Each structure stands twice: as structure tokens, then as C-alpha cells.
Amino acid sequence: MEQDQNRRRFLQTSAVSVIGASSAIAFSKHVSTHEELETLKPLKNDGDMVCIASGNGLQAVEEAYANMKEGADTAVAIVKGVGIVEADPNDMSVGYGGLPNEEGVVQLDASVMHGPTHKAGSVGAIENILHPAQVALKVLQTTDHVMIVGEGAYEFARAHGFEKKDLLTEKARQAWLRWKQTRSTRDDWLDPDQMDWTQDGERISHVERIQDSIPFTYGTIHCSAVNQLGEVSGCTTTSGLSYKIPGRVGDSPIIGAGMYVDNDIGAAGATGRGEAVIQACGAYAVTEAMARGMEPTQACLNALKKIVKNSTKQRRLIREDGRPGFNVIMYALRKDGIHGAAAMFPRATYAIADSKGSRLLKCASLFD
Ligand code: ASP
């Protein structure tokens, strides 16, 4: 009911939303300003504070919400929230305890975006640092860059006083060892008969190999929030795809893929097969769909449809029943506090904290 009223308010303004600030900018007389842009006005937030996260983020949204209540900036609050999951050795998809790459080394990816300043910071394939989202926030706050990767990201973190920490837990090492001992073809190096290309770069058009399942573990935390001032921020942090090729960077630290914020519209994020999300500019696609007036849940489903259409062109990613052999979950939080999430398959949940408390909600699903 409350969501319905908010939705109506949103739809009244959405047709004229998006980039209100641009009206103050004088473009060159040679630039024809699109009519739509001239009439756009920012969305309103009526004072609702809302924080959402992936299903593993119940404690994270509680922490972020509590911090926002005490006046913390939205970006700072969500980075604190996801820090709980980054430090949790039992979550084998994020931070400490995360599953390592194929060499047994834990490499983490994270990104943060701050709506009010439209600044972003991210780190890719960073090693030995417990809180990559905090490092991403430092990139955002203290540099003119957006993304720092690998050794450079580690050195940057050390310069800011982050401690060196071995992130490989005994449980994760054992899991990696089992994978190493049994992997046969279960790695990310495609067999020649899995490729759509010859070694010489010639396109092969007859690849028909269908894969029954993708043998890797995905997992990540995405978290986004809006405060009473309508300030929106988003954050995604992960140890990425398990047993990945060293140096592989997923969607989580890529602005517009695993996370995106437009302060006039809202925030979006993704978990699941990062390669598919990158190839669809997933989070950007969700915010743009919301800018066109689509509801958050529909915007997420819309992005998933695109992902299915694009990535199932690779036959090895399709199951026998024609559905994708991987999952992706998209999350969306609109500036007016309306939120939604959608997964490829049923039973996924997402976490929320708002004035009614914190709880897990069901994600919509693209397939039954
Ligand atoms: N999206 C992450 C990645 O591909 C993993 C995940 O969310 O499960 O690195």
C-alpha cells in the first residue's frame, strides 16, 4: 500500500525525471539539446530511509541503517554494513574466508558509488586486505581515479594504513584443494571443443556443446541505501568466482556492471555470474530502465532477460532445457525508497532495513 502510493508519486515525476542539474549548464549552440533532457527533473524522496542488500546481507543492512540513523553518509554507512560480511569467515563468497583463485590465492573485488557527488571508487583483484570496500571508498574519497587493481590496489591500501592479512581460511584451502584434486576440465580455460573460435582467432559457427552446469561458486554482497535527503549510494564486494584464473576481475568492481548509482534515479547492483553481468552492463541497464519509468522489480527482470538473450548465444552456457546454466540476481533501490530484486531462478532472497525493521524478502524470478 505504502509502496503503491510511493509508486504513484514516482510515476507522476518519472516522466520528467533524470538530470535536473543539466538545465543550468549552457551547452554550445551547436549542441541540439534533446527535448526529454530539458524537461527532466530529479525524483523526490519523502524522507524514507531504506537500505537493501543481497540475501547474505541482513546484518549489513541493519548496521548500515543504524549508521544512517546516526547521521552517517550513505556511502560510509553501507561500507560499514558490508564490512561485517567481509570479515565473516563463514561467508565463502566475500572477503575473509572467500574461495581463492586457481592458485589458491584469495583475490577480492569491490566498488562504491556515492550518488550526491557521482563519484565512484573500486579495487580489483586485491590481495591480503580484509576490507576491499573500505579501500574502494578511499579511492573514491582521496583520489581522482575510479579503479585501482592488483598490486597497486594493495600498495594503495597499505599506504592508507590497512593491515596485511592472510585471507585464506583452512576451510577455503581445503575446498580449493578438493577442486584442484578433482578438477579435470572444471576450470575457466575452455577446451578447444568449448570455444567459438579457433586458436588462430577464426570464428566457428557450429558450436553445439551444451553444458549441464557451471561448476563454480559465485557469491557476493551488494548493498545500497537512500537517506531522508534522497542521497543514494551503492556498494558491491566479493571474492568473486571461485578458482578463477589469477587476475580475473568480475562485475563487482566495474561501475555500471556489478553496481551503479544515479542520484536522480536510484541504485542497482548484481550478484552471480559476473561475466554475464559485464556483457550486459547490468546495473546501468537497471537504473536506466528505472529512469524510463520501469518499476525496480521489472527493471531487474528486464536486465535479466537481456542477459539471457546475450549470454545464451554461447551454447555452452545453456542447459538442456534451454535455460541459462548460471544464476544472476539484480537488485534495485529507487530514490523514492521503492525497491525490488529479481533472480533467474526462484527462492532467492534480498535483505532490507527501513522504518519497519529489517527482514528478508523474496526476489522475483525470471523462470519458474
Ligand atoms: N558477481 C561475482 C563475480 O562474478 C560473483 C558473485 O556474485 O557470485 O565475481
Side-chain angles (χ1 to χ4, degrees):
M1 177 65 187
E2 194 186 308
Q3 286 226 349
D4 278 356
Q5 284 168 356
N6 285 340
R7 186 178 313 132
R8 243 172 277 132
R9 273 200 300 274
F10 172 75
L11 289 174
Q12 280 158 12
T13 49
S14 69
V16 289
S17 66
V18 189
I19 52 166
S22 69
S23 56
I25 301 171
F27 292 112
S28 146
K29 62 179 190 301
H30 304 296
V31 177
S32 61
T33 314
H34 195 286
E35 220 176 73
E36 193 190 358
L37 297 184
E38 283 192 326
T39 52
L40 301 175
K41 284 204 197 92
L43 263 179
K44 292 253 169 22
N45 174 284
D46 292 338
D48 282 345
M49 247 178 17
V50 182
C51 182
I52 66 163
S54 40
N56 54 349
L58 194 58
Q59 277 183 290
V61 291
E62 285 164 2
E63 175 71 17
Y65 192 82
N67 275 273
M68 287 200 297
K69 250 179 138 175
E70 283 169 18
D73 177 86
T74 45
V76 173
I78 57 179
V79 166
K80 281 215 174 108
V82 300
I84 296 176
V85 184
E86 288 175 329
D88 178 0
N90 294 317
D91 192 317
M92 296 181 82
S93 68
V94 182
Y96 183 54
L99 289 169
N101 65 19
E102 65 175 28
E103 302 286 323
V105 177
V106 179
Q107 290 187 325
L108 307 175
D109 296 337
S111 63
V112 186
M113 193 157 178
H114 181 243
T117 54
H118 204 71
K119 278 206 85 185
S122 78
V123 290
I126 189 172
E127 296 175 16
N128 296 313
I129 297 292
L130 180 58
H131 289 298
Q134 285 178 20
V135 185
L137 186 60
K138 283 278 182 231
V139 174
L140 181 158
Q141 289 169 331
T142 70
T143 78
D144 189 39
H145 300 328
V146 169
M147 189 170 198
I148 307 183
V149 303
E151 188 63 19
Y154 171 76
E155 293 300 341
F156 174 81
R158 294 287 290 143
H160 277 280
F162 287 84
E163 276 174 25
K164 179 173 182 178
K165 183 172 171 70
D166 182 0
L167 302 175
L168 188 67
T169 57
E170 184 54 21
K171 196 168 155 200
R173 192 183 66 77
Q174 291 290 347
W176 167 73
L177 200 59
R178 264 197 311 282
W179 169 79
K180 218 170 153 58
Q181 287 162 342
T182 60
R183 67 180 167 174
S184 63
T185 59
R186 286 151 41 98
D187 61 24
D188 287 310
W189 303 83
L190 297 181
D191 294 348
D193 71 334
Q194 289 178 297
M195 293 187 214
D196 313 79
W197 308 87
T198 67
Q199 298 289 2
D200 298 331
E202 297 282 318
R203 180 75 210 278
I204 306 168
S205 56
H206 57 271
V207 178
E208 284 300 322
R209 191 178 192 282
I210 292 180
Q211 180 157 334
D212 39 12
S213 70
I214 307 291
F216 295 96
T217 309
Y218 292 90
T220 294
I221 178 164
H222 167 72
C223 185
S224 49
V226 59
N227 67 12
Q228 308 95 316
L229 304 172
E231 295 176 335
V232 188
S233 289
C235 169
T236 302
T237 175
T238 188
S239 53
L241 174 67
S242 63
Y243 321 132
K244 57 196 172 187
I245 295 175
R248 176 263 190 189
V249 170
D251 59 320
S252 309
I254 297 181
I255 308 306
M259 193 274 307
Y260 189 69
V261 176
D262 179 328
N263 206 58
D264 290 336
I265 307 299
T271 61
R273 181 177 158 81
E275 282 70 12
V277 177
I278 294 171
Q279 285 155 357
C281 300
Y284 185 76
V286 171
T287 53
E288 281 305 291
M290 291 197 292
R292 292 194 304 272
M294 211 177 265
E295 284 203 36
T297 305
Q298 285 306 322
C300 292
L301 286 166
N302 188 55
L304 291 182
K305 273 192 214 156
K306 283 191 184 161
I307 287 173
V308 170
K309 184 166 158 259
N310 292 335
S311 36
T312 50
K313 286 179 183 154
Q314 300 171 63
R315 300 277 300 163
R316 69 190 175 82
L317 297 177
I318 313 174
R319 297 189 322 202
E320 295 283 358
D321 62 4
R323 293 177 176 184
F326 58 87
N327 204 1
V328 168
I329 309 179
M330 301 295 318
Y331 311 86
L333 174 61
R334 221 166 51 186
K335 186 184 177 80
D336 60 0
I338 306 292
H339 48 84
M344 291 285 180
F345 304 106
R347 283 189 289 281
T349 57
Y350 70 107
I352 175 166
D354 59 11
S355 54
K356 297 189 201 107
S358 62
R359 59 215 177 268
L360 287 176
L361 299 174
K362 255 173 121 178
C363 298
S365 69
L366 192 60
F367 299 106
D368 297 330

